[in-house]
Structures are given as C-alpha cells and as structure tokens.
Amino acid sequence: AFRHLSFSGEFYFGKVIRVGIGYDHQKRSELIFETNRGLAGFSFGFGIVTRKFDFGYSIAKYSPVGASNHFSLVVKFNEFLKK
C-alpha cells in the first residue's frame, strides 16, 4: 500500500511565507536510474502571500535531464474593490 501513497506537507512561516515539500514513492521507483538516483519523486515549492497577491513557485524533478517548474500568481480582486 505504501507504493501508492504520496506524502506532502506545507509549512507556514508567519502569515507571509510558506514552504512545501512532497514525495511520491511510485513515481520515484519508476523514474530513477540505477546509476543516478537524483531527486526523482520529490517536489519542492515556496510562496509569498501579500494583501492583494499570492506568488508561488514549485519544482518537481522527473529525470536527471530536466524538471518541471511552475509559477503561480493569485490576484485577490476583492481587495482592489475595498475602500
């Protein structure tokens, strides 16, 4: 059953900064090379929260050749409309 579970956690440092980490055992076992294990199956990210915006970045390593990078921007429109 452990092979099919993914584990992740998100840690908040105050109200402004958050850091996340994840692990997928099945993805790691399918994507590693015997000679170079690397960080396949792990993912990392961080975010910065402001009153009107949330900025985020995450990276997931799928092979020794490359990784998947994600950027996010959340705009809180209701904060712009408040007077």
Side-chain angles (χ1 to χ4, degrees):
F2 178 73
R3 284 184 263 163
H4 300 286
L5 296 177
S6 297
F7 298 96
S8 63
E10 191 169 36
F11 305 97
Y12 291 87
F13 299 99
K15 292 185 177 183
V16 179
I17 298 175
R18 62 179 184 247
V19 176
I21 186 171
Y23 175 73
D24 187 337
H25 181 74
Q26 186 172 7
K27 190 176 289 186
R28 179 164 177 82
S29 64
E30 291 174 354
L31 296 175
I32 61 172
F33 291 108
E34 292 299 324
T35 57
N36 185 3
R37 291 190 172 265
L39 292 175
F42 288 95
S43 58
F44 307 96
F46 70 90
I48 298 173
V49 180
T50 64
R51 199 175 108 227
K52 295 184 179 183
F53 299 100
D54 290 356
F55 302 97
Y57 170 75
S58 65
I59 184 169
K61 187 87 169 165
Y62 293 115
S63 73
V65 178
S68 175
N69 296 286
H70 298 273
F71 294 95
S72 65
L73 172 65
V74 177
V75 179
K76 301 175 187 175
F77 288 113
N78 59 344
E79 292 294 329
F80 285 103
L81 299 176
K82 288 184 180 179
K83 291 184 179 183

